[in-house]
Amino acid sequence: KTSFLRLISGLWSPEAGQVRRPPEGELLFIPQKPYMLLGSLREQLCYPQSPDRFDDDQLRHVLEQVYLPDLIHRYPDLTVKQDWPRLLSLGEQQRLAFARLLLNGPRFVVLDEATSALDVGTEKHLYQLLVQREMAFVSVGHRPTLTAFHDTVLELDGQGGWKLQPAASYTFNAGA
């Protein structure tokens, strides 16, 4: 599943055939363990854009939207460089990746287990933010609660076979 997502995200090239994807800059890939650069909180949030693209109020607002207001209090100077992967839990890193996603505003998003370290309520809130912004997204996840945010489920059997099903009638299989 992850290999499929990497192909459609443009991170890998297909060995045969072709993959059509949105133009560069219109698609953002968010993995289970988000990319964290060694830099400031401002740089983390703005990546891959320029760190001065957004003002402090925008950055603080988006941190509140993704349930990270305590980061503002812990690190009020958004320009101080920190070792973020060491300081933040995986759940905090995943919420920070969603903040980055909201700031960058791509038309399409690929989420690979991007909410696995979050509780179901926070996951629901973050997906609702994507829906409100009318972002198209593709997700891989192991929670049946994710189907509520999707129209269609692509089930891969691991042997090269696949089938599309309406999400509303999909029966979640934890082993799939």
Side-chain angles (χ1 to χ4, degrees):
K1 295 171 194 166
T2 296
S3 297
F4 175 71
L5 291 183
R6 289 181 178 166
L7 278 171
I8 63 173
S9 297
L11 299 174
W12 288 358
S13 298
E15 288 186 25
Q18 53 181 255
V19 176
R20 291 188 183 176
R21 60 183 68 85
E24 192 171 319
E26 291 187 18
L27 183 141
L28 195 59
F29 177 77
I30 306 290
Q32 181 176 17
K33 183 152 178 43
Y35 176 65
M36 294 281 123
L37 27 122
L38 295 173
S40 68
L41 186 54
R42 168 177 291 288
E43 291 168 319
Q44 288 297 343
L45 288 165
C46 296
Y47 179 83
Q49 303 294 331
S50 167
D52 45 347
R53 178 172 180 197
F54 305 100
D55 65 36
D56 288 1
D57 288 340
Q58 289 173 296
L59 300 181
R60 289 184 179 102
H61 177 70
V62 78
L63 287 171
E64 289 173 5
Q65 286 184 300
V66 298
Y67 296 163
L68 286 174
D70 58 311
L71 278 185
I72 299 164
H73 303 295
R74 287 178 8 208
Y75 308 100
D77 182 350
L78 298 173
T79 62
V80 173
K81 297 191 184 303
Q82 299 286 351
D83 185 358
W84 299 106
R86 188 180 60 77
L87 292 174
L88 302 178
S89 70
L90 181 56
E92 289 172 320
Q93 290 178 45
Q94 288 181 345
R95 285 180 281 161
L96 193 132
F98 265 80
R100 183 185 290 161
L101 171 63
L102 295 174
L103 286 167
N104 281 283
R107 289 184 51 214
F108 304 95
V109 183
V110 177
L111 304 155
D112 185 8
E113 299 278 349
T115 57
S116 63
L118 304 176
D119 63 85
V120 173
T122 301
E123 174 185 82
K124 179 180 178 182
H125 172 72
L126 295 177
Y127 269 88
Q128 286 172 333
L129 291 172
L130 299 182
V131 170
Q132 288 168 6
R133 285 163 178 77
E134 299 180 354
M135 290 182 188
F137 50 87
V138 174
S139 304
V140 164
H142 295 288
R143 289 187 183 150
T145 52
L146 285 176
T147 57
F149 300 102
H150 296 79
D151 298 323
T152 308
V153 174
L154 170 63
E155 187 174 86
L156 306 174
D157 68 10
Q159 307 299 313
W162 57 274
K163 60 183 171 180
L164 282 175
Q165 299 179 46
S169 62
Y170 180 71
T171 303
F172 190 83
N173 178 357

